[in-house]
Amino acid sequence: MKKIILDVDTGSDDAIAIMTAVLSPELDVLGICTVNGNRCVENTTENTLRVVEYIGSNVPVYKGCALPMVVSLTKGRRECVPFEGQKNKKEDVHGDYLPIPESTITYEKECAVSWLVKTLMDSDGDISLIDVGPLTNLAMAMRIQPGIIDKIDTLYIMGGGWREQNITPAAEFNFWIDPEAAKIVINSGCKIVMVPLDATHAGAISIKDAMELREESSPGAKLTAALIEQRLKGYNNWQPMQDQTTVPIHDALAVCAAIDMDVLADVRYIHVDVDAGGGICDGQSVCDVEHKDKEAEPNVHIALNANVGRFAELLKTTLKRTV
Ligand code: RIB
Ligand code: CA
């Protein structure tokens, strides 16, 4: 089994990602770190606890950063921190809380950043990270203890976009919420597999898959079916896919890549950087796919497409399981 740590801003697709990771026989989830992103960190932590309890798991949850590193210090740069942009709107794909019972379990006393540093430094360098929210926790950990960089086996990131964006004409949400954190992590030097919107949109999951999962008895399958339907409604009001019977489950694709890289397609080893300049391209992932900057060394394995058939099959097989 591959040892992994999840870093999430639970949200509806994070929830599916968590269930996929915990239910997979290939992954050993050592802990789940939460961060401010889709909602404030209190909500993303409560939602994470709800999912863990709902599928009967005892994976520990560590509460992380409540705010991005510096973005909210500059007037006019990022008003909505914590993000409330979709709250109570028809395009909302997450909701404040997941549609499952309130948690009766609690998160660990140790904060996510210090647990991350300690766990990685004590390890043999055999732990991979799967980051599917803003990168604040990991960037803070790298600043506190740069030694963790060589201790990370592989870092799977759901974030950024080459030709696809979602929160501004230039940026993807996870990188936009904390551009400095994204810039620190992308330039850290660890082995990165980046799963951007170009891949997650190509890997959009069909409502037919949700209907198949709804027929199952396992809690993971039933909740995933409900969340796919919830996301489809929000996406068709906000950013409809070409096939409006499909919806991206961004974070689950990053988890499935850690299980089987065949869910990704057109993976290139290129130079990527992040704009943290605070202007109209704030948070943009600049992907040098054509190697235009001859001075810039490749630093990221980026997937420009997805194998949606393999992704859907792996997702359904895994989510039909129980712990
Ligand atoms: O842009 C998609 C990403 O933003 C996903 O991780 C989703 O959960 C949101 O955090
Ligand atoms: Ca997320």
Side-chain angles (χ1 to χ4, degrees):
M1 292 176 91
K2 184 184 280 185
K3 289 181 187 173
I4 64 129
I5 292 172
L6 283 172
D7 202 348
V8 297
D9 62 330
T10 312
S12 53
D13 57 328
D14 305 71
I16 298 170
I18 291 168
M19 293 189 284
T20 306
V22 170
L23 294 170
S24 169
E26 310 291 329
L27 302 180
D28 175 12
V29 184
L30 304 181
I32 306 174
C33 301
T34 65
V35 71
N36 155 72
N38 285 315
R39 288 297 192 274
C40 64
V41 73
E42 287 71 25
N43 288 43
T44 62
T45 304
E46 164 59 17
N47 283 330
T48 301
L49 292 167
R50 288 191 186 193
V51 175
V52 166
E53 189 168 12
Y54 188 71
I55 59 171
S57 166
N58 57 10
V59 170
V61 175
Y62 297 85
K63 187 176 178 185
C65 294
L67 288 173
M69 297 177 85
V70 295
V71 72
S72 49
L73 300 178
T74 309
K75 186 149 177 38
R77 187 177 172 197
R78 194 81 73 259
E79 305 310 338
C80 51
V81 176
F83 184 70
E84 304 270 339
Q86 289 185 342
K87 196 178 174 80
N88 305 326
K89 294 198 183 126
K90 63 182 187 341
E91 61 266 36
D92 188 3
V93 293
H94 299 294
D96 287 342
Y97 293 104
L98 293 175
I100 49 179
E102 195 171 332
S103 70
T104 62
I105 58 174
T106 185
Y107 52 87
E108 305 299 312
K109 282 193 177 47
E110 186 167 16
C111 93
V113 176
S114 58
W115 177 77
L116 208 44
V117 170
K118 195 182 72 181
T119 305
L120 289 169
M121 291 309 288
D122 289 349
S123 78
D124 299 330
D126 58 345
I127 299 175
S128 291
L129 306 185
I130 307 178
D131 279 56
V132 295
L135 291 160
T136 315
N137 290 336
L138 182 53
M140 293 294 283
M142 286 180 172
R143 282 300 196 239
I144 290 169
Q145 175 48 277
I148 67 169
I149 293 167
D150 291 338
K151 287 280 192 175
I152 298 168
D153 181 308
T154 304
L155 168 60
Y156 299 86
I157 296 175
M158 190 284 127
W162 173 38
R163 291 179 169 159
E164 306 265 340
Q165 293 76 29
N166 58 8
I167 194 70
T168 74
E172 175 278 329
F173 182 81
N174 288 336
F175 282 20
W176 177 79
I177 284 283
D178 196 339
E180 281 77 6
K183 193 173 186 69
I184 288 167
V185 171
I186 284 290
N187 288 292
S188 64
C190 63
K191 181 185 172 195
I192 295 174
V193 173
M194 182 173 161
V195 183
L197 293 175
D198 309 81
T200 65
H201 288 172
I205 293 295
S206 158
I207 192 68
K208 288 200 288 296
D209 295 317
M211 286 153 72
E212 185 182 325
L213 286 167
R214 189 170 278 292
E215 296 307 307
E216 294 293 318
S217 57
S218 68
K222 288 208 169 307
L223 178 55
T224 298
L227 292 174
I228 291 174
E229 287 160 15
Q230 171 182 314
R231 289 180 59 79
L232 185 65
K233 212 179 300 159
Y235 255 84
N236 283 344
N237 285 315
W238 171 47
Q239 190 187 31
M241 295 292 109
Q242 224 162 3
D243 175 351
Q244 294 192 18
T245 66
T246 67
V247 63
I249 315 293
H250 309 282
D251 300 342
L253 183 59
V255 167
C256 286
I259 299 168
D260 178 2
M261 278 292 281
D262 282 348
V263 299
L264 304 179
D266 195 6
V267 179
R268 316 263 185 105
Y269 186 45
I270 67 166
H271 184 261
V272 175
D273 200 347
V274 180
D275 180 340
I280 59 171
C281 291
D282 203 21
Q284 179 177 31
S285 55
V286 182
C287 307
D288 190 1
V289 173
E290 277 98 30
H291 295 286
K292 291 202 183 322
D293 182 349
K294 302 304 177 205
E295 307 295 309
E297 287 299 310
N299 57 339
V300 168
H301 300 267
I302 185 172
L304 300 182
N305 205 327
N307 176 348
V308 64
R310 176 62 186 131
F311 175 38
E313 176 204 10
L314 181 54
L315 206 55
K316 290 186 288 188
T317 313
T318 308
L319 288 160
K320 289 173 184 174
R321 294 167 59 91
T322 53
V323 292

